[in-house]
């Protein structure tokens, strides 16, 4: 069973490159242009997500955003960027599908943000001995 999974994992890039070469021949655009554009888009997405992830994490630590939603969204974008960097049209289509899925639309995953619902109790402090 392990060999079947290993065979599938190792054969995907080969099949993907062969599909890209056939697609490039069909469209008339050189295959190297497909590979370069895809890798450049993936690298730019990964570079942009690094800063976005840092901002979302800091916002979650301050209590402005729920943490899980930011982690899921960043993970989805990083996976899509890695799929774009891999050579091939099929991996690019999977990456675009990941980017277009409306995963984080709707109510937040956390029921309450870290900073909401806190009330300040006013009072005086006095030490007695």
């Amino acid at each position: 069973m392990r060999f079947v999974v290993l065979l599938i994992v190792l054969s995907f890039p080969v099949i993907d490159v062969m599909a890209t070469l056939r697609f490039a021949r069909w469209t008339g655009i050189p295959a190297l242009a497909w590979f370069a554009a895809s890798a450049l888009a993936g690298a730019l997405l990964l570079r942009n997500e690094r800063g976005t992830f840092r901002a979302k994490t800091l916002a979650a630590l301050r209590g402005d955003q729920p943490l899980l939603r930011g982690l899921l969204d960043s993970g989805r974008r990083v996976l899509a960027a890695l799929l774009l960097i891999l050579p091939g049209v099929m991996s690019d289509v999977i990456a675009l599908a990941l980017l277009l899925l409306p995963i984080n639309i709707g109510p937040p995953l956390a029921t309450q943000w870290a900073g909401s619902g806190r009330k300040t109790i006013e009072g005086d402090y006095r030490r007695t001995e």
Side-chain angles (χ1 to χ4, degrees), residues 20-29:
T20 303
L21 293 175
R22 190 168 284 213
F23 187 73
R25 190 175 339 132
W26 179 66
T27 59
I29 299 174

Side-chain angles (χ1 to χ4, degrees), residues 2-71:
R2 286 183 279 178
F3 296 115
V4 173
V5 172
L6 183 66
L7 183 69
I8 291 171
V9 168
L10 291 178
S11 66
F12 177 73
V14 174
I15 294 170
D16 200 9
V17 168
M18 288 174 41
T20 303
L21 293 175
R22 190 168 284 213
F23 187 73
R25 190 175 339 132
W26 179 66
T27 59
I29 299 174
L32 189 59
W34 285 109
F35 295 143
S38 173
L40 181 67
L44 289 175
L45 181 63
L46 195 59
R47 182 178 179 201
N48 184 31
E49 189 55 36
R50 184 176 57 191
T52 306
F53 176 72
R54 186 178 299 133
K56 286 181 183 180
T57 304
L58 288 175
L61 289 175
R62 280 193 316 263
D64 298 337
Q65 285 184 356
L67 180 63
L68 187 58
R69 174 172 272 187
L71 285 175

